[in-house]
Amino acid sequence: MPLRTHLALFTAGLAAATCLTAAGPAQAHTSHACSPSVSLDRFSDALDKTTYEDTFVGNLSALAVGRDGSLAALSDRSSLFRLDARTLKPRSVVPLADETGAALDSEGLVADGDGTYLVTSETEPSVRRYSRTGKILDRLPVPDDLRVSPAGRGQPNGTFEGLTLLPGGRTLVASMEYALAGDPADTVRFQTWNRHEGRFRLADRYTYRTDPGLGVPEIRATPDGRLLVLERGFTAGVGNTVRLYLADPRRGMKKTLLTDLATCPPLGATAKQPQPNPLLDNIEGMTITGRTRNALEILLVSDDNQNPAQTTRFYYLRVRATP
């Protein structure tokens, strides 16, 4: 079934659900406004350059909230952390690996409704399902042309970065970080799978146009079936560019800018290297942690690459919403 058909089914009856908007004045946290529709509550560097059970707590590339409210954080060095959602203090860590026991370049994370995790790796690329203890339960099919060159047209370190489930849990979406070989530089592929009798089958593919020089490190489905899309880039001597967009699959992935994070108030943040705003770093992970009457609560995290010049930083955003 096409993605747009699934979206129509999922959103039927959601007339009272929250819908994002990029119009109108900010309703709350005006002094912390990044744009008319986004405000920054606070940030936290509490986990920067820390360890837990002899595992470095950093290299964080994805976040996910489970049905029980627990917060999971995925390291691109094959570690899956469970964090206290309030304090961010690590509670457990589970090592992940492929079928041969080799480490992953783990980038995308979804907490499924049955307590398992769906995890992408950029290496092949791949999507695997893991138990809470790190056991491989399933591996999803991937189109040949998305595989890393020379097997396909994917760029090394530029394949599956973002991963999200659409409302209803029947459609999974993975975003490539950069364009396939032979595609325009601003064209990124979004691959979908439909769940049937508990297994995911390949489905539609969509194209998304990035801003010049930027890639897609993360996507997250909103309650009304649209997608929050992070776009990110880095320029030596200048720093990071990080923008948050709202894209609508029902309208050909038409996107609307919610905010450029360089416009957020720094709130006393410091940077270890040049940045257009000292708040910025290599932001890669994003999840929706809650909802108030007129806003979605969004948590972002930066990947410090275990680099002294970078910071593991969590960002607490509110994206304004209206009924």
Side-chain angles (χ1 to χ4, degrees), residues 5-35:
T5 304
H6 277 294
L7 290 172
L9 291 173
F10 296 153
T11 55
L14 288 178
T18 302
C19 294
L20 293 174
T21 178
Q27 297 292 308
H29 303 274
T30 304
S31 63
H32 292 179
C34 305
S35 71

PDB file of all heavy atoms in Angstrom, residues 5-35:
ATOM      1  N   THR A   5      -1.365   6.427   1.215  1.00  0.00           N
ATOM      2  CA  THR A   5      -2.582   5.752   1.638  1.00  0.00           C
ATOM      3  C   THR A   5      -2.521   5.421   3.111  1.00  0.00           C
ATOM      4  O   THR A   5      -3.480   5.593   3.860  1.00  0.00           O
ATOM      5  CB  THR A   5      -2.788   4.462   0.821  1.00  0.00           C
ATOM      6  OG1 THR A   5      -2.785   4.802  -0.562  1.00  0.00           O
ATOM      7  CG2 THR A   5      -4.108   3.797   1.182  1.00  0.00           C
ATOM      8  N   HIS A   6      -1.347   4.924   3.567  1.00  0.00           N
ATOM      9  CA  HIS A   6      -1.162   4.660   4.992  1.00  0.00           C
ATOM     10  C   HIS A   6      -1.363   5.921   5.809  1.00  0.00           C
ATOM     11  O   HIS A   6      -2.021   5.909   6.854  1.00  0.00           O
ATOM     12  CB  HIS A   6       0.245   4.106   5.253  1.00  0.00           C
ATOM     13  CG  HIS A   6       0.342   2.636   5.021  1.00  0.00           C
ATOM     14  ND1 HIS A   6      -0.315   1.717   5.780  1.00  0.00           N
ATOM     15  CD2 HIS A   6       1.034   1.938   4.085  1.00  0.00           C
ATOM     16  CE1 HIS A   6      -0.049   0.502   5.348  1.00  0.00           C
ATOM     17  NE2 HIS A   6       0.775   0.611   4.319  1.00  0.00           N
ATOM     18  N   LEU A   7      -0.801   7.028   5.337  1.00  0.00           N
ATOM     19  CA  LEU A   7      -0.922   8.271   6.083  1.00  0.00           C
ATOM     20  C   LEU A   7      -2.367   8.698   6.202  1.00  0.00           C
ATOM     21  O   LEU A   7      -2.799   9.190   7.243  1.00  0.00           O
ATOM     22  CB  LEU A   7      -0.100   9.365   5.394  1.00  0.00           C
ATOM     23  CG  LEU A   7       1.405   9.195   5.489  1.00  0.00           C
ATOM     24  CD1 LEU A   7       2.094  10.224   4.609  1.00  0.00           C
ATOM     25  CD2 LEU A   7       1.869   9.321   6.917  1.00  0.00           C
ATOM     26  N   ALA A   8      -3.136   8.498   5.143  1.00  0.00           N
ATOM     27  CA  ALA A   8      -4.539   8.875   5.200  1.00  0.00           C
ATOM     28  C   ALA A   8      -5.277   8.033   6.235  1.00  0.00           C
ATOM     29  O   ALA A   8      -6.126   8.530   6.980  1.00  0.00           O
ATOM     30  CB  ALA A   8      -5.173   8.700   3.820  1.00  0.00           C
ATOM     31  N   LEU A   9      -4.930   6.730   6.296  1.00  0.00           N
ATOM     32  CA  LEU A   9      -5.562   5.868   7.285  1.00  0.00           C
ATOM     33  C   LEU A   9      -5.173   6.259   8.701  1.00  0.00           C
ATOM     34  O   LEU A   9      -5.992   6.296   9.617  1.00  0.00           O
ATOM     35  CB  LEU A   9      -5.155   4.404   7.026  1.00  0.00           C
ATOM     36  CG  LEU A   9      -5.719   3.774   5.746  1.00  0.00           C
ATOM     37  CD1 LEU A   9      -5.095   2.404   5.526  1.00  0.00           C
ATOM     38  CD2 LEU A   9      -7.242   3.653   5.826  1.00  0.00           C
ATOM     39  N   PHE A  10      -3.870   6.563   8.889  1.00  0.00           N
ATOM     40  CA  PHE A  10      -3.381   6.869  10.227  1.00  0.00           C
ATOM     41  C   PHE A  10      -3.960   8.171  10.757  1.00  0.00           C
ATOM     42  O   PHE A  10      -4.207   8.317  11.946  1.00  0.00           O
ATOM     43  CB  PHE A  10      -1.849   6.982  10.229  1.00  0.00           C
ATOM     44  CG  PHE A  10      -1.155   5.708   9.874  1.00  0.00           C
ATOM     45  CD1 PHE A  10       0.098   5.742   9.291  1.00  0.00           C
ATOM     46  CD2 PHE A  10      -1.743   4.487  10.121  1.00  0.00           C
ATOM     47  CE1 PHE A  10       0.736   4.573   8.952  1.00  0.00           C
ATOM     48  CE2 PHE A  10      -1.103   3.315   9.785  1.00  0.00           C
ATOM     49  CZ  PHE A  10       0.127   3.363   9.190  1.00  0.00           C
ATOM     50  N   THR A  11      -4.138   9.124   9.846  1.00  0.00           N
ATOM     51  CA  THR A  11      -4.550  10.447  10.301  1.00  0.00           C
ATOM     52  C   THR A  11      -6.057  10.600  10.371  1.00  0.00           C
ATOM     53  O   THR A  11      -6.547  11.595  10.898  1.00  0.00           O
ATOM     54  CB  THR A  11      -3.996  11.537   9.381  1.00  0.00           C
ATOM     55  OG1 THR A  11      -4.398  11.269   8.036  1.00  0.00           O
ATOM     56  CG2 THR A  11      -2.481  11.572   9.441  1.00  0.00           C
ATOM     57  N   ALA A  12      -6.816   9.604   9.838  1.00  0.00           N
ATOM     58  CA  ALA A  12      -8.267   9.669   9.952  1.00  0.00           C
ATOM     59  C   ALA A  12      -8.648   9.615  11.423  1.00  0.00           C
ATOM     60  O   ALA A  12      -8.174   8.793  12.193  1.00  0.00           O
ATOM     61  CB  ALA A  12      -8.896   8.489   9.208  1.00  0.00           C
ATOM     62  N   GLY A  13      -9.520  10.483  11.830  1.00  0.00           N
ATOM     63  CA  GLY A  13      -9.938  10.526  13.218  1.00  0.00           C
ATOM     64  C   GLY A  13      -9.020  11.297  14.114  1.00  0.00           C
ATOM     65  O   GLY A  13      -9.235  11.333  15.324  1.00  0.00           O
ATOM     66  N   LEU A  14      -7.950  11.930  13.546  1.00  0.00           N
ATOM     67  CA  LEU A  14      -7.009  12.687  14.365  1.00  0.00           C
ATOM     68  C   LEU A  14      -7.322  14.182  14.331  1.00  0.00           C
ATOM     69  O   LEU A  14      -6.451  15.012  14.496  1.00  0.00           O
ATOM     70  CB  LEU A  14      -5.574  12.471  13.877  1.00  0.00           C
ATOM     71  CG  LEU A  14      -4.981  11.104  14.169  1.00  0.00           C
ATOM     72  CD1 LEU A  14      -3.580  11.012  13.591  1.00  0.00           C
ATOM     73  CD2 LEU A  14      -4.953  10.817  15.647  1.00  0.00           C
ATOM     74  N   ALA A  15      -8.561  14.509  14.109  1.00  0.00           N
ATOM     75  CA  ALA A  15      -8.916  15.922  13.975  1.00  0.00           C
ATOM     76  C   ALA A  15      -8.557  16.713  15.208  1.00  0.00           C
ATOM     77  O   ALA A  15      -8.271  17.910  15.142  1.00  0.00           O
ATOM     78  CB  ALA A  15     -10.416  16.051  13.689  1.00  0.00           C
ATOM     79  N   ALA A  16      -8.568  16.040  16.339  1.00  0.00           N
ATOM     80  CA  ALA A  16      -8.235  16.742  17.580  1.00  0.00           C
ATOM     81  C   ALA A  16      -6.766  16.621  17.933  1.00  0.00           C
ATOM     82  O   ALA A  16      -6.328  17.131  18.967  1.00  0.00           O
ATOM     83  CB  ALA A  16      -9.080  16.192  18.734  1.00  0.00           C
ATOM     84  N   ALA A  17      -5.981  15.933  17.102  1.00  0.00           N
ATOM     85  CA  ALA A  17      -4.575  15.723  17.421  1.00  0.00           C
ATOM     86  C   ALA A  17      -3.774  16.987  17.163  1.00  0.00           C
ATOM     87  O   ALA A  17      -4.195  17.897  16.466  1.00  0.00           O
ATOM     88  CB  ALA A  17      -4.011  14.573  16.573  1.00  0.00           C
ATOM     89  N   THR A  18      -2.574  17.016  17.708  1.00  0.00           N
ATOM     90  CA  THR A  18      -1.689  18.161  17.534  1.00  0.00           C
ATOM     91  C   THR A  18      -1.190  18.249  16.102  1.00  0.00           C
ATOM     92  O   THR A  18      -0.815  17.255  15.502  1.00  0.00           O
ATOM     93  CB  THR A  18      -0.485  18.006  18.468  1.00  0.00           C
ATOM     94  OG1 THR A  18      -0.984  17.917  19.785  1.00  0.00           O
ATOM     95  CG2 THR A  18       0.441  19.186  18.353  1.00  0.00           C
ATOM     96  N   CYS A  19      -1.153  19.475  15.557  1.00  0.00           N
ATOM     97  CA  CYS A  19      -0.620  19.713  14.215  1.00  0.00           C
ATOM     98  C   CYS A  19       0.399  20.820  14.302  1.00  0.00           C
ATOM     99  O   CYS A  19       0.159  21.837  14.949  1.00  0.00           O
ATOM    100  CB  CYS A  19      -1.734  20.125  13.244  1.00  0.00           C
ATOM    101  SG  CYS A  19      -2.952  18.828  12.935  1.00  0.00           S
ATOM    102  N   LEU A  20       1.546  20.637  13.647  1.00  0.00           N
ATOM    103  CA  LEU A  20       2.592  21.641  13.680  1.00  0.00           C
ATOM    104  C   LEU A  20       2.273  22.778  12.748  1.00  0.00           C
ATOM    105  O   LEU A  20       1.624  22.620  11.728  1.00  0.00           O
ATOM    106  CB  LEU A  20       3.925  21.008  13.257  1.00  0.00           C
ATOM    107  CG  LEU A  20       4.483  19.973  14.214  1.00  0.00           C
ATOM    108  CD1 LEU A  20       5.714  19.347  13.597  1.00  0.00           C
ATOM    109  CD2 LEU A  20       4.812  20.581  15.546  1.00  0.00           C
ATOM    110  N   THR A  21       2.767  23.950  13.097  1.00  0.00           N
ATOM    111  CA  THR A  21       2.590  25.105  12.240  1.00  0.00           C
ATOM    112  C   THR A  21       3.836  25.962  12.298  1.00  0.00           C
ATOM    113  O   THR A  21       4.518  26.009  13.310  1.00  0.00           O
ATOM    114  CB  THR A  21       1.361  25.946  12.653  1.00  0.00           C
ATOM    115  OG1 THR A  21       1.281  27.082  11.809  1.00  0.00           O
ATOM    116  CG2 THR A  21       1.469  26.426  14.087  1.00  0.00           C
ATOM    117  N   ALA A  22       4.127  26.633  11.201  1.00  0.00           N
ATOM    118  CA  ALA A  22       5.274  27.543  11.167  1.00  0.00           C
ATOM    119  C   ALA A  22       4.794  28.984  11.137  1.00  0.00           C
ATOM    120  O   ALA A  22       5.533  29.884  10.791  1.00  0.00           O
ATOM    121  CB  ALA A  22       6.135  27.257   9.942  1.00  0.00           C
ATOM    122  N   ALA A  23       3.541  29.211  11.484  1.00  0.00           N
ATOM    123  CA  ALA A  23       2.986  30.560  11.440  1.00  0.00           C
ATOM    124  C   ALA A  23       2.563  31.002  12.831  1.00  0.00           C
ATOM    125  O   ALA A  23       2.289  30.192  13.699  1.00  0.00           O
ATOM    126  CB  ALA A  23       1.776  30.596  10.504  1.00  0.00           C
ATOM    127  N   GLY A  24       2.496  32.316  13.015  1.00  0.00           N
ATOM    128  CA  GLY A  24       1.991  32.861  14.265  1.00  0.00           C
ATOM    129  C   GLY A  24       3.079  33.074  15.278  1.00  0.00           C
ATOM    130  O   GLY A  24       4.148  32.477  15.218  1.00  0.00           O
ATOM    131  N   PRO A  25       2.833  33.913  16.277  1.00  0.00           N
ATOM    132  CA  PRO A  25       3.823  34.221  17.296  1.00  0.00           C
ATOM    133  C   PRO A  25       4.009  33.073  18.277  1.00  0.00           C
ATOM    134  O   PRO A  25       3.125  32.251  18.475  1.00  0.00           O
ATOM    135  CB  PRO A  25       3.206  35.444  18.012  1.00  0.00           C
ATOM    136  CG  PRO A  25       1.731  35.258  17.824  1.00  0.00           C
ATOM    137  CD  PRO A  25       1.571  34.652  16.465  1.00  0.00           C
ATOM    138  N   ALA A  26       5.197  33.005  18.861  1.00  0.00           N
ATOM    139  CA  ALA A  26       5.451  31.994  19.879  1.00  0.00           C
ATOM    140  C   ALA A  26       4.540  32.219  21.067  1.00  0.00           C
ATOM    141  O   ALA A  26       4.311  33.345  21.496  1.00  0.00           O
ATOM    142  CB  ALA A  26       6.921  32.050  20.315  1.00  0.00           C
ATOM    143  N   GLN A  27       4.009  31.109  21.614  1.00  0.00           N
ATOM    144  CA  GLN A  27       3.050  31.213  22.697  1.00  0.00           C
ATOM    145  C   GLN A  27       3.706  31.145  24.077  1.00  0.00           C
ATOM    146  O   GLN A  27       3.099  31.528  25.058  1.00  0.00           O
ATOM    147  CB  GLN A  27       2.018  30.078  22.568  1.00  0.00           C
ATOM    148  CG  GLN A  27       1.201  30.166  21.278  1.00  0.00           C
ATOM    149  CD  GLN A  27       0.287  31.350  21.287  1.00  0.00           C
ATOM    150  OE1 GLN A  27      -0.473  31.545  22.221  1.00  0.00           O
ATOM    151  NE2 GLN A  27       0.366  32.164  20.251  1.00  0.00           N
ATOM    152  N   ALA A  28       4.907  30.577  24.130  1.00  0.00           N
ATOM    153  CA  ALA A  28       5.556  30.394  25.428  1.00  0.00           C
ATOM    154  C   ALA A  28       7.055  30.528  25.260  1.00  0.00           C
ATOM    155  O   ALA A  28       7.591  30.418  24.151  1.00  0.00           O
ATOM    156  CB  ALA A  28       5.203  29.027  26.003  1.00  0.00           C
ATOM    157  N   HIS A  29       7.754  30.743  26.379  1.00  0.00           N
ATOM    158  CA  HIS A  29       9.216  30.829  26.371  1.00  0.00           C
ATOM    159  C   HIS A  29       9.691  31.857  25.338  1.00  0.00           C
ATOM    160  O   HIS A  29      10.650  31.631  24.597  1.00  0.00           O
ATOM    161  CB  HIS A  29       9.840  29.466  26.093  1.00  0.00           C
ATOM    162  CG  HIS A  29       9.430  28.411  27.073  1.00  0.00           C
ATOM    163  ND1 HIS A  29      10.067  28.216  28.268  1.00  0.00           N
ATOM    164  CD2 HIS A  29       8.418  27.511  27.042  1.00  0.00           C
ATOM    165  CE1 HIS A  29       9.482  27.228  28.935  1.00  0.00           C
ATOM    166  NE2 HIS A  29       8.474  26.797  28.203  1.00  0.00           N
ATOM    167  N   THR A  30       9.009  32.989  25.300  1.00  0.00           N
ATOM    168  CA  THR A  30       9.299  34.001  24.294  1.00  0.00           C
ATOM    169  C   THR A  30      10.754  34.440  24.341  1.00  0.00           C
ATOM    170  O   THR A  30      11.398  34.625  23.313  1.00  0.00           O
ATOM    171  CB  THR A  30       8.372  35.219  24.479  1.00  0.00           C
ATOM    172  OG1 THR A  30       7.017  34.760  24.429  1.00  0.00           O
ATOM    173  CG2 THR A  30       8.609  36.241  23.392  1.00  0.00           C
ATOM    174  N   SER A  31      11.318  34.569  25.544  1.00  0.00           N
ATOM    175  CA  SER A  31      12.697  35.027  25.657  1.00  0.00           C
ATOM    176  C   SER A  31      13.695  33.996  25.146  1.00  0.00           C
ATOM    177  O   SER A  31      14.843  34.320  24.886  1.00  0.00           O
ATOM    178  CB  SER A  31      13.014  35.369  27.124  1.00  0.00           C
ATOM    179  OG  SER A  31      12.899  34.215  27.937  1.00  0.00           O
ATOM    180  N   HIS A  32      13.240  32.726  24.995  1.00  0.00           N
ATOM    181  CA  HIS A  32      14.093  31.661  24.491  1.00  0.00           C
ATOM    182  C   HIS A  32      13.730  31.297  23.064  1.00  0.00           C
ATOM    183  O   HIS A  32      14.053  30.213  22.592  1.00  0.00           O
ATOM    184  CB  HIS A  32      13.983  30.417  25.368  1.00  0.00           C
ATOM    185  CG  HIS A  32      14.554  30.595  26.749  1.00  0.00           C
ATOM    186  ND1 HIS A  32      14.532  29.580  27.690  1.00  0.00           N
ATOM    187  CD2 HIS A  32      15.153  31.651  27.350  1.00  0.00           C
ATOM    188  CE1 HIS A  32      15.096  30.023  28.816  1.00  0.00           C
ATOM    189  NE2 HIS A  32      15.481  31.271  28.623  1.00  0.00           N
ATOM    190  N   ALA A  33      13.051  32.176  22.360  1.00  0.00           N
ATOM    191  CA  ALA A  33      12.574  31.872  21.015  1.00  0.00           C
ATOM    192  C   ALA A  33      13.727  31.728  20.031  1.00  0.00           C
ATOM    193  O   ALA A  33      14.661  32.535  20.023  1.00  0.00           O
ATOM    194  CB  ALA A  33      11.620  32.951  20.543  1.00  0.00           C
ATOM    195  N   CYS A  34      13.653  30.678  19.208  1.00  0.00           N
ATOM    196  CA  CYS A  34      14.583  30.499  18.091  1.00  0.00           C
ATOM    197  C   CYS A  34      13.952  31.000  16.806  1.00  0.00           C
ATOM    198  O   CYS A  34      14.666  31.390  15.867  1.00  0.00           O
ATOM    199  CB  CYS A  34      14.927  29.024  17.934  1.00  0.00           C
ATOM    200  SG  CYS A  34      15.577  28.207  19.406  1.00  0.00           S
ATOM    201  N   SER A  35      12.630  30.941  16.749  1.00  0.00           N
ATOM    202  CA  SER A  35      11.852  31.349  15.585  1.00  0.00           C
ATOM    203  C   SER A  35      10.415  31.518  16.058  1.00  0.00           C
ATOM    204  O   SER A  35      10.113  31.244  17.226  1.00  0.00           O
ATOM    205  CB  SER A  35      11.935  30.270  14.492  1.00  0.00           C
ATOM    206  OG  SER A  35      11.206  29.123  14.885  1.00  0.00           O
TER     207      SER A  35
END
